Amino acid sequence: MIKTYAYGFPRLGKQREFKRLIEGFWAGKVTEEELLTGIEKLNKKREESYAAHVDNFPRGEMTLYDPMLDTALILGLYRAESLEEYFQLCRGKNALEMTKWFNTNYHYLVPDFEGKRPQFKATVPVWDRHKGVKRNAHLIGPLTFLKLSKNLPEGAFGELLKEVAKTLVDYAVERGFESIHLDDPAFVLELSKEEWKAVEEAYGEFERFPGDVNLFTYYDSVDNLAGLFELPVSGVGVDLVHDRGENLKQLKTVEPGGKKLFAGVIDGRNVWRADLTAKRALLAELAERFEVVATNAAPLFHLPVSLAGATLPEGLLEKVAFAEEKLKELSLIAKGSDQELNSWSKGVGSSFGELKEVRERVQNLKEEDFERKPAYSERVKKQQEVLKLPLFPTTTIGSFPQTEEVRRVRLLYRKGKLSQEDYDTFIRGEIAKAIQIQEELGLDVFVHGEFERTDMVEFFAEKMKGIATTGNGWVISYGTRCYRPPIIYGDVDREGPMTIKEIAFAQSLTDKPVKGMLTGPVTIIAWSFVREDIPTEEVAYQIALALKDEIADYEKAGIKIVQIDEPAIREKAPIKRRNWDDYFRWAVRSFRLCHSSVKPETQIHTHMCYSEFGEIMEYILQMDFDVISIEATRSKGDIIEAFEKVNFDRQIGLGVWDIHSPYVPTVEEMKEIVERALKVIPKENFWINPDCGLKTRRWEEVIPALRNLVALAKELREEQ
Ligand code: GLN
Ligand code: ZN
């Protein structure tokens, strides 16, 4: 019988115990002892889930915040003497920077070498994830640790990699581990020859380790799978779900070299049940050449913990599997009868929630549906005639503070304890206040504040056919922060206008233009679980068409500016750059489809919060928006360099206020960013705005910061 293995089971807990314990500790409501015993209990439950279904799993996967930080502490790169110091590295003024983990929506803490060669030393951190662990200890591998760290000293990659590997082995030996589970997904990046050489050198360190080391890769294929099998490890884990067939192809010729193959056949990133009969056949085929262990492809923490209590439309429930059900899939593969496999997988591949009109609409799309006319140079004049904006127009990104009251009232309404009418009145009141504040501050382009939205994707998911929300399907996006990705299961369409009521009301209160505010197709897809029975490209066009209808309704309601947010466009890009062209082709086209038929005088904005902009600039330009607002404060001007290199003829708002911090920037601080940018971007094209939406800030910070922002714009205008 085939052996089974699983890794990366969510740490959150069915009742989000993880969040409650840690946030409780921060708030002083949970003692250190309660925290540690609570986490231990939670981890025990995780391990019980594993043990109920699979033969083996890693130990010591639990963290109090993020495994990359834990690894940095194990290596002695940072020090934390107490839990308070540990959490200071995670949040607050001196915290490490956070960024997206590969092409997922999980954010990790980025170790910073500050350009220096550190003294590594195997250390047992204050939070000891390996307490009591001997067998199959979980560690992040050296390549991933180093590739995902920042500010490495130049030219030292090879030596550092060896030192990291050496220190990890020291740690494992000192702790007396019997075997190691090594998570090293960075092997799926496009590695250079030099990097491979450095890997071979560094991985040589593992020869010193007396027990088994099993090396796991995932999220994509490994370009040099043969090389991976030559490393001194006892087993290799590969992703056979997100590999575009490339891993499988290589496995046909790779020499097993006595190594176990951990065949990742169960998807850890998407919720669809697998065709278990086909998976079993695949495993049997692989078993002809390898000693095979069936496992998940990608860690399971990208999924909600369990389907128990999920509120899904009828018929959908038996098509999906969350983390716990994925474990069950592994056990079924090993032990299930043919009939059990068939009945588990009976819904696989069948379409669900088909909308004929939507299908036809997508099929009938023509090239001109992706082409806005006239060209920017012409339409910009018409827009200016209508909008009459001053030089350096000021605006915000969309949301205003989601105060405790806003959240409380919205929850009452969602629980059915507040009537639609009372809720609408409340939201209108909040919008009116926001408009009044913007009026008093003297901003040029207004927003309605997004008070009615829980989350920029979930809000639209609830208003669209073909997308289900899960009720309790929480997933960690970073630290203790959770979100509930919706499930795009069927053809997507609007039920009717989704946002017009609020935006039109806001516009009725002011003569200043109010921006219509939408979440773009790529972001809706990136932050959801998406169906796989049709190409993602088609899903994107379906969503785009729904947004197109919404924009047409905006125009009818007299809205002159529409912002289509695409903060996830970079994150959704494939890991390997050689696959970027194909992805950005449909990503860009879906954006263009949203706005291709607007009137020339309607101004289209987009917003992205992503700091390494240079690498995607050529694609961004093709989106053909009129104005883009992006983050600039945290990237310290790197973005501006990116603009130097291309002929960027659109308007741009470089964020001058880092809204991720409660700090209120002064006029001078904001001006510094603008002055640097004005060397590259013509002043006629320059907007003044914050980095991102303001929903996590408090009004006490927002009002003074925006006052400074408006003062800055005035000062700049006077200097011209
Ligand atoms: N319009 C959204 C807001 O202001 C944009 C959020 C985002 O970029 N993540 O909240
Ligand atoms: Zn943003």
Side-chain angles (χ1 to χ4, degrees), residues 74-100:
I74 286 173
L75 293 168
L77 190 64
Y78 293 96
R79 297 184 71 82
E81 305 294 340
S82 62
L83 287 189
E84 282 74 18
E85 282 181 30
Y86 176 95
F87 285 124
Q88 273 163 21
L89 295 167
C90 306
R91 53 202 290 273
K93 244 189 13 263
N94 300 318
L96 307 197
E97 193 195 311
M98 214 164 46
T99 199
K100 303 236 154 119

Side-chain angles (χ1 to χ4, degrees), residues 607 609 691-692:
H607 164 72
C609 22
D691 256 1
C692 194

Side-chain angles (χ1 to χ4, degrees), residues 18 39 59 72 76 121 158 202-203 271 304 341 409 434 498 501 583 610 633 662 665 677 688 719:
F18 179 81
I39 292 287
R59 314 298 201 279
K121 187 179 181 322
Y203 258 76
V271 294
L341 263 55
V409 173
M498 303 181 283
K501 199 167 65 180
Y583 159 73
Y610 172 61
T633 49
I688 307 283
E719 284 170 15

Side-chain angles (χ1 to χ4, degrees), residues 397-399 450 456 517 565 567 607 609 692-693:
I397 306 302
S399 55
E450 301 183 22
M456 63 187 291
M517 197 55 70
D565 290 328
H607 164 72
C609 22
C692 194

Side-chain angles (χ1 to χ4, degrees), residues 461-493:
E462 282 175 349
K463 301 211 172 242
M464 283 173 166
K465 288 185 230 171
I467 312 187
T469 50
T470 61
N472 69 349
W474 297 100
V475 174
I476 292 180
S477 61
Y478 64 86
T480 58
R481 176 73 164 262
C482 307
Y483 75 117
R484 281 176 297 199
I487 302 176
I488 305 176
Y489 62 87
D491 293 331
V492 179
D493 199 1

